[in-house]
Amino acid sequence: MEGKEEDVRLGANKFTERQPIGTAAQSQDDGKDYTEPPPAPFFEPGELTSWSFYRAGIAEFVATFLFLYITILTVMGVVKEKTKCPTVGIQGIAWAFGGMIFALVYCTAGISGGHINPAVTFGLFLARKLSLTRAIFYMVMQCLGAICGAGVVKGFMGKTQYGMLGGGANSVAHGYTKGDGLGAEIVGTFVLVYTVFSATDAKRSARDSHVPILAPLPIGFAVFLVHLATIPITGTGINPARSLGAAIIFNKDKGWDDHWIFWVGPFIGAALAALYHVVVIRAIPFKSK
């Protein structure tokens, strides 16, 4: 028996944990093979002569086009029915938005970073992850893609039916104030952009090899959860391109009355998430040079 106990003891201590878990992972200095990348230049003229720059913009256009096409078409399918029972309902709409973000981030992350959202681009720009040149180009291509995506849905549904069903445009629901809508957009976008920063953190990628593979999953899931919470309040924007594309194609007062909320809210939320990640989570301003 003593020999067997010795074998068990040796076997239990023969192999160490492959990766520390929980707070143990945070306490170890796993960043020895990681160096903080320099901040992106504010303006980088050389990008304008690079094909990869324009390829990334095209990827953002196509991704946002597909995003609006699938999601607005899903919304139309739910709204056109008198009762939600024969449709996918609010949960289905939330899954459409979250699932498309998961798929599209996975497809485009290696080309453009898979932003598909001006608020995400704005947050990453504030954190100095990309230049102003690229940020503006991405936002323009995202908005154009969103307009085209919503336009295709209108072509399928027909002008009359599309207009009667609201065109998937965002607005503050009855019973809520504009302040309620603005707050919902700020918090919802904070959740999304905070998740983006955490899921794509380069230091975590250096420490945990599984993080880059799983990055699209928590991002898509965050979009899903935010939609579940805020669809009854604002229809859930948290993406200015999505709101702009639907508003332009719908082009009625309902789509424009509260439209400012779906730019101001997401941009404030993205800025707060960038500040929280850089100052609190990563504490970059307090690191010794």
Side-chain angles (χ1 to χ4, degrees), residues 72 75-76 162 166-171 234-235 242-243 246-247 250 254-256:
I72 298 300
V75 171
M76 294 289 96
Y162 185 86
N170 290 118
S171 62
T234 61
R242 172 260 188 271
S243 300
F250 181 54
K254 181 184 177 182
W256 293 116

Side-chain angles (χ1 to χ4, degrees), residues 35-102:
T35 55
E36 196 72 47
F42 186 76
F43 180 69
E44 192 170 0
E47 287 184 320
L48 300 176
T49 60
S50 171
W51 165 240
S52 64
F53 175 77
Y54 296 100
R55 182 184 67 162
I58 294 170
E60 287 292 310
F61 172 88
V62 172
T64 316
F65 167 83
L66 295 174
F67 178 62
L68 265 288
Y69 168 72
I70 294 296
T71 55
I72 298 300
L73 203 56
T74 303
V75 171
M76 294 289 96
V78 172
V79 174
K80 74 176 182 179
E81 299 292 339
K82 293 182 180 179
T83 65
K84 299 296 185 291
C85 294
T87 71
V88 296
I90 289 179
Q91 292 87 350
I93 293 174
W95 274 120
F97 278 89
M100 280 304 290
I101 288 297
F102 168 69

Side-chain angles (χ1 to χ4, degrees), residues 263-277:
W263 282 88
V264 175
F267 273 38
I268 292 176
L272 292 174
L275 181 68
Y276 179 66
H277 176 79

Side-chain angles (χ1 to χ4, degrees), residues 189-272:
T189 311
F190 179 90
V191 172
L192 170 59
V193 179
Y194 175 39
T195 304
V196 169
F197 275 113
S198 298
T200 60
D201 192 330
K203 188 171 185 179
R204 292 186 64 195
S205 300
R207 185 184 68 216
D208 304 326
S209 61
H210 61 279
V211 169
I213 299 174
L214 296 179
L217 182 59
I219 295 171
F221 199 61
V223 171
F224 165 71
L225 293 174
V226 171
H227 275 76
L228 282 183
T230 59
I231 282 176
I233 304 173
T234 61
T236 308
I238 68 172
N239 184 335
R242 172 260 188 271
S243 300
L244 179 66
I248 287 178
I249 299 301
F250 181 54
N251 198 27
K252 293 185 179 180
D253 290 343
K254 181 184 177 182
W256 293 116
D257 288 343
D258 303 323
H259 186 69
W260 64 271
I261 291 174
F262 302 99
W263 282 88
V264 175
F267 273 38
I268 292 176
L272 292 174

Side-chain angles (χ1 to χ4, degrees), residues 151-164:
V152 171
V153 175
K154 184 176 182 179
F156 284 168
M157 301 292 294
K159 181 178 180 180
T160 302
Q161 187 178 26
Y162 185 86
M164 290 177 58

Side-chain angles (χ1 to χ4, degrees), residues 123-134:
L124 293 172
F125 165 70
L126 293 180
R128 301 295 300 275
K129 302 294 184 182
L130 71 165
S131 66
L132 177 63
T133 314
R134 186 174 291 265

